[in-house]
């Protein structure tokens, strides 16, 4: 059986959980990773979730990958594209797990990597962050949004779809980037803004201690997302 080689840029909650999930279902796969925190790479290597650490985004090891996952913050992913365009193989599939797709797609196309790109967004997560929070079961049963262009090669889409459905045991929905971003804004980004506003309102109120003591499940559920990194 051919060994799959996956590259990861970023090993936080989302990227780390995905790397662990892939290793859980396909122990023979090879995972290369880069993250700015060297301690995180060392922890991932020790946990055997990663097989080799890359020294930078332009590490030549990334040229061996059949698929590269951009799992850093969106701005960092966009910066990485400018480097990866001179490294990745034409057959490599480039994907990202961010919650905004239109901006990334635009930058992917500007970098000349449009034919390599298939967007992916797991509809899962929690208020935690970082490698320490990574969980191979985070995506169990989760829905993923797969974003494609009219010219997306079917084989590239199928590779990502099978990886998600077969290897990680999840479900998927296929849509274009603009539709994804409008929908994600309603069910993810706007709730984050509202939750943060509620927390700020509480903190600024002179009755905050009394209100916090009275708070129960409704307050917890409405504000949990405010704890996540914006």
């Amino acid at each position: 059986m051919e060994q799959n080689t996956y590259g990861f840029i970023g090993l936080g909650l989302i990227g780390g959980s995905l790397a662990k999930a892939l290793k859980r279902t396909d122990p023979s796969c090879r995972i290369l990773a880069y993250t700015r925190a060297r301690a995180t790479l060392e922890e991932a290597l020790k946990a055997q979730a990663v097989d080799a650490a890359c020294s930078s985004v332009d590490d030549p090891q990334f040229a061996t990958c059949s698929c590269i996952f951009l799992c850093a913050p969106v701005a960092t992913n966009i910066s990485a594209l400018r480097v990866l365009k001179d490294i990745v193989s034409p057959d490599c599939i480039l994907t990202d797990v961010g919650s905004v797709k239109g901006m990334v797609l635009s930058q992917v196309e500007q970098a000349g990597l449009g034919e390599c790109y298939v967007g992916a967004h797991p509809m899962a997560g929690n208020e935690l962050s970082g490698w320490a929070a990574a969980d191979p079961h985070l995506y169990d049963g989760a829905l993923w949004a797969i974003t494609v262009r009219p010219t997306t090669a079917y084989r590239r889409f199928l590779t990502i779809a099978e990886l998600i459905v077969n290897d990680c045991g999840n479900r998927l929905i296929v849509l274009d980037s603009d539709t994804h971003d409008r929908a994600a804004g309603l069910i993810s980004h706007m709730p984050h803004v509202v939750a943060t506003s509620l927390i700020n309102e509480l903190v600024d109120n002179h009755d905050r201690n009394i209100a916090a003591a009275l708070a129960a499940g409704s307050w917890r559920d409405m504000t949990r997302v405010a704890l996540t990194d914006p």
Side-chain angles (χ1 to χ4, degrees):
M1 181 181 296
E2 182 179 356
Q3 183 186 47
N4 293 314
T5 300
Y6 303 121
F8 277 77
I9 295 176
L11 285 174
L13 171 68
I14 301 300
S17 295
L18 182 56
K20 287 183 175 182
L22 291 174
K23 273 295 187 183
R24 181 187 64 174
T25 57
D26 182 10
S28 67
C29 75
R30 179 170 171 77
I31 293 182
L32 316 173
Y34 167 73
T35 183
R36 287 181 292 182
R38 182 67 196 184
T40 295
L41 284 174
E42 292 174 355
E43 291 171 8
L45 288 165
K46 185 177 180 180
Q48 298 183 327
V50 168
D51 297 288
C54 294
S55 58
S56 61
V57 175
D58 60 356
D59 192 305
Q61 292 184 88
F62 281 125
T64 67
C65 295
S66 56
C67 182
I68 295 177
F69 297 89
L70 300 175
C71 303
V74 174
T76 303
N77 289 339
I78 289 174
S79 296
L81 291 171
R82 304 186 186 105
V83 178
L84 290 173
K85 65 183 179 66
D86 297 321
I87 297 174
V88 297
S89 157
D91 294 325
C92 179
I93 300 171
L94 191 65
T95 187
D96 77 304
V97 294
S99 63
V100 177
K101 294 303 180 197
M103 180 169 57
V104 175
L105 174 60
S106 175
Q107 295 298 317
V108 165
E109 291 175 336
Q110 287 185 37
L113 293 169
E115 296 305 316
C116 297
Y117 179 72
V118 179
H121 179 200
M123 307 310 295
N126 54 46
E127 69 276 15
L128 305 177
S129 61
W131 168 258
D135 179 358
H137 298 285
L138 180 69
Y139 304 122
D140 288 358
L143 177 69
W144 284 63
I146 305 298
T147 57
V148 297
R149 306 182 308 158
T151 58
T152 298
Y154 179 69
R155 67 176 181 83
R156 295 182 189 272
F157 158 75
L158 187 62
T159 297
I160 295 299
E162 289 182 338
L163 186 151
I164 290 169
V165 175
N166 297 337
D167 292 353
C168 296
N170 302 315
R171 300 168 293 128
L172 61 84
I173 181 173
V174 185
L175 64 170
D176 64 88
S177 296
D178 289 343
T179 302
H180 167 275
D181 288 355
R182 289 194 300 270
L186 289 172
I187 56 86
S188 181
H189 304 144
M190 186 166 66
H192 197 161
V193 172
V194 171
T196 303
S197 296
L198 286 171
I199 289 291
N200 290 339
E201 182 68 22
L202 174 68
V203 171
D204 291 339
N205 195 291
H206 68 277
D207 288 328
R208 57 184 174 273
N209 293 334
I210 297 172
L214 294 173
S218 177
W219 174 259
R220 178 201 63 213
D221 293 343
M222 285 191 296
T223 58
R224 178 189 61 81
V225 72
L227 295 174
T228 62
D229 188 337

